[in-house]
Amino acid sequence: MSANLDNVLLLALANDELDKFLVGEPFYFQEAKNDYEEPQNIVAAFDLLVLRYWQQTRDPQFPVRWVTALLKILATYPDRNRAIYVAASWVWYYRFCLSKKQAQPEGLYADLFEVDMGAVALALQRQLELNKAELVQDTRWAGGSWNSQNGQNGLWGPLMRTALVVRDKLGGPDFVPANL
């Protein structure tokens, strides 16, 4: 990993712009090496930056800052669908990593921080409920026809699959909307 990658997260923290890192705004964007676009390469950003930062610093404020930044994007980010999509992806990948920690106590995620994601789940659930119609119409990222049933459900379908996996297979938190 290059020092430049380290500096992206460090700069976001120093500039109080962790929210911009989470949504993948330019400069804080980590490109996905996939066949499709993503607003942020969450897997790489988490493993190469967040996890590494945590392992190197054990910054006791970081887990709370991370949750606070997720809540901030859900409450204030202008592109509501992007905020919902990345927040759900961050929650999913964090819970996936925690499941790896439990399965392999000596593995890569052995010392991953544990933080209550309940407030994020509630905010995410509320935003999903409020923005369903817009999410169904949004064909960006995983909402593209390549990932939707009959190309008809935009981001809503992938977000519902993510919410159900987090709740049913990764131990929560539950952000499945009432209007599923």
Side-chain angles (χ1 to χ4, degrees), residues 3 11 13 16 21 27 34 44-45 51 67 77 84 89 95 104 109 118 122 125 137 153 172 175 180:
L11 281 169
L13 291 168
D16 197 24
F21 169 79
F27 184 74
N34 299 329
L51 181 63
V67 166
Y77 197 72
I84 293 164
S89 298
R95 291 304 305 180
Q104 302 168 350
Y109 304 102
L122 285 173
Q125 182 182 48
Q137 297 300 316
N153 58 6
F175 58 90
L180 176 68

Side-chain angles (χ1 to χ4, degrees), residues 72-145:
K72 180 179 179 182
I73 64 172
L74 287 168
T76 65
Y77 197 72
D79 183 341
R80 305 305 312 137
N81 291 357
R82 182 178 183 142
I84 293 164
Y85 182 73
V86 297
S89 298
W90 282 106
V91 171
W92 162 76
Y93 195 66
Y94 173 69
R95 291 304 305 180
F96 175 80
C97 294
L98 283 180
S99 73
K100 292 294 185 192
K101 174 182 178 173
Q102 293 166 353
Q104 302 168 350
E106 303 299 318
L108 176 63
Y109 304 102
D111 54 0
L112 178 60
F113 60 88
E114 295 192 31
V115 64
D116 182 358
M117 299 293 284
V120 174
L122 285 173
L124 188 51
Q125 182 182 48
R126 178 83 173 126
Q127 289 299 316
L128 284 163
E129 291 168 356
L130 290 172
N131 294 284
K132 180 178 181 177
E134 293 83 3
L135 290 162
V136 167
Q137 297 300 316
D138 197 335
T139 58
R140 296 177 292 173
W141 315 305
S145 60

Side-chain angles (χ1 to χ4, degrees), residues 137-170:
Q137 297 300 316
D138 197 335
T139 58
R140 296 177 292 173
W141 315 305
S145 60
W146 63 269
N147 194 33
S148 296
Q149 298 169 353
N150 303 322
Q152 303 275 329
N153 58 6
L155 287 174
W156 182 257
L159 284 165
M160 291 308 95
R161 289 192 297 272
T162 298
L164 290 168
V165 165
V166 169
R167 182 189 72 189
D168 299 341
K169 296 185 178 178
L170 298 176

